[in-house]
Amino acid sequence: MATVKKKKEKISVFSGNVYIKASFNNTIVTVTDLMGNALSWASSGELSFRGAKKSTPFAAQSVCEAAAKKAMDYGMKEVNVYISGPGVGRESA
């Protein structure tokens, strides 16, 4: 007897929220829909920045670009940005 697999539905989200946590050691970006369900996330460590390079403005910029590319696969066009933390990557993110 053959098993039948259902196709996974593609989620389409037009607007959402971006949460940026900039600490002294790392920058974490999470993209959610308006209900708070996480669609994508990225951090400096995930992008292979190590040690003191994780807390640089360039690393924060790269993290935001990576999270945004993943979120755009869901069709996201508009976002609300929430920034927290005292880190160096606040402005560039």
Side-chain angles (χ1 to χ4, degrees):
M1 189 160 133
T3 59
V4 178
K5 290 186 179 180
K6 276 190 172 180
K7 284 191 176 183
K8 190 172 181 181
E9 292 184 23
K10 180 82 172 173
I11 300 172
S12 180
V13 178
F14 179 71
S15 61
N17 298 327
V18 175
Y19 297 95
I20 300 172
K21 168 102 171 58
S23 69
F24 289 120
N25 296 322
N26 202 355
T27 303
I28 301 171
V29 177
T30 306
V31 182
T32 67
D33 59 7
L34 293 177
M35 299 297 291
N37 301 317
L39 299 175
S40 67
W41 66 275
S43 70
S44 321
E46 180 193 17
L47 297 179
S48 70
F49 288 100
R50 295 289 178 225
K53 294 181 178 136
K54 286 200 308 187
S55 60
T56 61
F58 176 73
Q61 180 180 351
S62 301
V63 167
C64 284
E65 289 175 3
K69 284 180 185 175
K70 291 178 194 174
M72 287 172 63
D73 292 340
Y74 291 102
M76 187 167 290
K77 299 290 182 193
E78 296 179 0
V79 293
N80 302 318
V81 180
Y82 300 97
I83 302 175
S84 67
V88 183
R90 285 176 61 107
E91 299 301 318
S92 63

